[in-house]
Amino acid sequence: MSALISHSCTSDNKPWEGANHIRPYEGNRSYWQYKGKPVLLLGATDNDNLFQNDNLLTHLDSLKAAGGNYIRNTMSDRDPGDMHAYGTTAEGKYDLNTWNAEYWDRFENLLRLARERDIIVQIEIWDRFDHSRDPWRTDPFNPVNNINYSFAEARLDSVYPLHPGSNVQPFFFTVPELDNNIILLEYQHKFVEKLLSISLQFDNVLYCIDNETSGKEEWAIYWADFVKSVAGEKDIYITQMWDNWDVKTATHKRTLDYPGRYRFIDISQNSQLAGPVNWSNAQYVFDYIKDNPRPVNSTKIYGSDRGSWLDRGITTEHAINTFFRNITGGFASSRFHRPPSGLGLSDISINCIKTVRDIEKIVKMWEIVPSMHILEVDEEGEAYLSAEEGKCYIIYFVTECKVRLDLSGYNKRFRVMSAEVEKGEWSKMETIRGGAAVQLDGNKRTVVVLY
């Protein structure tokens, strides 16, 4: 595509000069900057705990080659073959006072390799799925598996057969404001302190307390404050990811209303909702925080034709549409979830990322805003628009349709290009004249750029 572009509507201003670590962009605090320059974070990986993978290096290289710069990393150890964080005794039991060096070496290696490739790592400290059902049977925190405490001392049971969304596992109630389980909390402290002793050496890290939690607010507050206290003067950014799919509910106010504690937002679970509500609910969040904007991330975009929610429309098509709704809607990050629940690092996700990186040669996302008020569609959800009016317009067509774009205030010629996002193939450049509302025809899952 680059050979077709002779002009750009991006500014020639010098990059904002600031600290090298990941932080909100000074020019638009809804986006991130890294090494002093604004960045849009895009990702697609085949696993959530990449430090456990033997093919880590090639996977990161493939992501980088595709234009990706963002990964999710849970500290999870529940999959077959995963390493645990703790050392073991001669009898084969875990000792929560000792460490498995290889587990932590792999974690540090992930952060180092990502940093070398300018990839941002969003770490999830706790994952409820590690501590219930079958994974609990081999969990080092299960008293039957360690030498450090009994069931009675830790106030734990031998089985937790319910889905972790039921939120009955005492592991997630240990903090003083809840169960005040001092014995278990001490070992949780040690785990987080060990994690931070490594991660705080790196400037390419964001923190999330839990994976899609339905836990108590007090748990989240405690760990957010604990992480910040350990970090000291280190400038870090932390959030909590709630499981509730409806981001308009009171649950999400726990993060939206506290920008001092949660310095960015992750609404990945919004991608569980298909169609126009996926867009409108996200826009509700942006409007809610407009007086104190922060980056809004989506470290998981669900959807795959091999997934579990096909009856709800959470398909491959949904994943593609959600990715581009996020891009036009103002998200600071978007990452395709692992297979089979998401597309992972696949031909389709790679082409979607490459398409966005091609668009960035013309316009930067932090220079445009959602502008649906100047786009006329026949039915809600057919197409979405973000623009810097009079300069650049990005329209994503969910379906084949005709739209009318209001260019009445700009009597000049605009260059027009379009791409089939699944293929990453761009059309030849055309031109249209503004000065009035113009009709644009779009094919299904196509992005159109005017500049």
Side-chain angles (χ1 to χ4, degrees):
M1 177 184 174
S2 57
L4 297 174
I5 300 172
S6 56
H7 299 280
S8 169
C9 73
T10 60
S11 65
D12 293 326
N13 295 335
K14 293 181 179 180
W16 185 81
E17 295 180 0
N20 282 335
H21 61 272
I22 185 74
R23 56 178 296 171
Y25 172 43
E26 287 290 305
N28 182 347
R29 297 189 68 81
S30 294
Y31 287 86
W32 296 106
Q33 71 176 38
Y34 182 56
K35 294 186 176 179
K37 297 180 180 180
V39 291
L40 176 66
L41 303 184
L42 303 177
T45 50
D46 288 345
N47 209 343
D48 300 332
N49 54 348
L50 286 176
F51 74 104
Q52 298 269 15
N53 288 20
D54 291 333
N55 67 337
L56 169 63
L57 180 59
T58 57
H59 209 57
L60 291 179
D61 282 342
S62 296
L63 177 65
K64 177 71 173 179
N69 60 350
Y70 176 57
I71 63 173
R72 173 189 183 215
N73 189 73
T74 65
M75 301 306 298
S76 178
D77 54 11
R78 69 178 179 271
D79 294 329
D82 280 354
M83 295 184 177
H84 293 288
Y86 298 98
T88 56
T89 66
E91 293 74 29
K93 286 204 170 189
Y94 292 103
D95 180 355
L96 303 186
N97 290 312
T98 63
W99 301 115
N100 177 358
E102 187 171 355
Y103 175 97
W104 295 106
D105 287 347
R106 282 175 171 246
F107 175 59
E108 183 171 1
N109 187 52
L110 167 71
L111 301 184
R112 179 180 57 80
L113 292 175
R115 181 178 61 187
E116 290 171 358
R117 289 155 180 78
D118 289 339
I119 293 174
I120 304 303
V121 183
Q122 184 168 317
I123 297 171
E124 287 162 33
I125 298 171
W126 305 113
D127 190 337
R128 61 187 187 168
F129 289 95
D130 284 343
H131 307 290
S132 293
R133 300 188 295 191
D134 283 347
W136 179 243
R137 298 180 185 278
T138 56
D139 191 335
F141 285 101
N142 186 332
V144 77
N145 297 324
N146 69 57
I147 63 170
N148 305 99
Y149 46 66
S150 67
F151 286 105
E153 289 170 334
R155 291 181 255 168
L156 292 169
D157 204 345
S158 58
V159 293
Y160 291 100
L162 299 179
H163 187 284
S166 62
N167 198 36
V168 297
Q169 164 59 290
F171 185 91
F172 296 99
F173 290 79
T174 56
V175 301
E177 294 77 9
L178 296 173
D179 288 352
N180 194 28
N181 187 338
I182 296 174
I183 290 178
L184 188 52
L185 183 62
E186 176 187 353
Y187 291 106
Q188 292 174 334
H189 279 175
K190 289 181 178 179
F191 178 84
V192 176
E193 288 168 343
K194 177 64 173 178
L195 184 161
L196 294 172
S197 73
I198 296 170
S199 65
L200 289 174
Q201 301 175 51
F202 295 85
D203 289 333
N204 58 322
V205 174
L206 299 170
Y207 297 91
C208 183
I209 300 163
D210 291 281
N211 171 37
E212 56 184 59
T213 182
S214 53
K216 296 288 187 179
E217 182 176 14
E218 292 86 351
W219 166 270
I221 291 172
Y222 182 87
W223 287 110
D225 292 347
F226 182 83
V227 170
K228 286 191 288 186
S229 70
V230 175
E233 295 183 359
K234 175 88 173 185
D235 193 21
I236 64 166
Y237 292 83
I238 191 166
T239 194
Q240 176 66 309
M241 185 202 304
W242 303 107
D243 187 38
N244 194 315
W245 300 350
D246 186 352
V247 295
K248 297 184 293 184
T249 61
T251 298
H252 291 274
K253 302 300 190 298
R254 298 170 178 178
T255 46
L256 300 182
D257 287 345
Y258 297 95
R261 175 175 290 119
Y262 304 110
R263 301 174 72 189
F264 74 102
I265 296 162
D266 191 293
I267 54 171
S268 292
Q269 295 305 93
N270 183 60
S271 74
Q272 289 274 15
L273 301 177
V277 69
N278 173 259
W279 169 273
S280 61
N281 279 16
Q283 293 308 303
Y284 167 87
V285 170
F286 286 104
D287 184 67
Y288 190 89
I289 64 171
K290 63 184 178 183
D291 293 332
N292 193 347
R294 286 168 278 165
V296 175
N297 285 10
S298 181
T299 195
K300 292 183 287 185
I301 293 177
Y302 295 99
S304 162
D305 290 342
R306 298 189 293 124
S308 304
W309 308 291
L310 301 182
D311 59 330
R312 292 196 287 106
I314 311 302
T315 60
T316 293
E317 183 174 351
H318 165 77
I320 297 166
N321 290 339
T322 298
F323 181 77
F324 281 93
R325 278 190 290 254
N326 284 3
I327 298 303
T328 53
F331 278 73
S333 83
S334 292
R335 172 191 161 272
F336 290 98
H337 194 28
R338 56 166 172 76
S341 298
L343 295 180
L345 189 62
S346 60
D347 288 343
I348 291 176
S349 64
I350 286 172
N351 287 337
C352 287
I353 291 173
K354 285 183 175 179
T355 298
V356 175
R357 295 307 186 201
D358 281 342
I359 293 172
E360 286 189 312
K361 297 171 186 175
I362 304 172
V363 54
K364 306 302 186 186
M365 300 306 159
W366 47 87
E367 295 177 347
I368 58 180
V369 294
S371 303
M372 294 298 292
H373 62 286
I374 58 171
L375 188 71
E376 181 182 338
V377 297
D378 290 333
E379 295 184 16
E380 183 184 14
E382 289 183 324
Y384 297 94
L385 168 70
S386 193
E388 182 182 2
E389 290 190 49
K391 294 185 178 180
C392 301
Y393 303 79
I394 298 174
I395 306 172
Y396 176 68
F397 287 86
V398 173
T399 187
E400 183 176 350
C401 64
K402 301 179 186 296
V403 302
R404 289 174 63 82
L405 175 63
D406 184 3
L407 298 176
S408 57
Y410 310 99
N411 188 16
K412 66 176 190 178
R413 288 201 170 275
F414 290 89
R415 301 173 183 86
V416 183
M417 297 185 67
S418 64
E420 298 179 56
V421 299
E422 292 169 62
K423 298 179 180 178
E425 296 176 354
W426 287 86
S427 67
K428 292 183 178 180
M429 186 184 301
E430 300 177 353
T431 62
I432 61 171
R433 178 165 288 283
V438 299
Q439 179 175 295
L440 296 168
D441 299 343
N443 295 322
K444 194 174 186 179
R445 294 191 294 282
T446 297
V447 65
V448 174
V449 182
L450 290 78
Y451 65 104

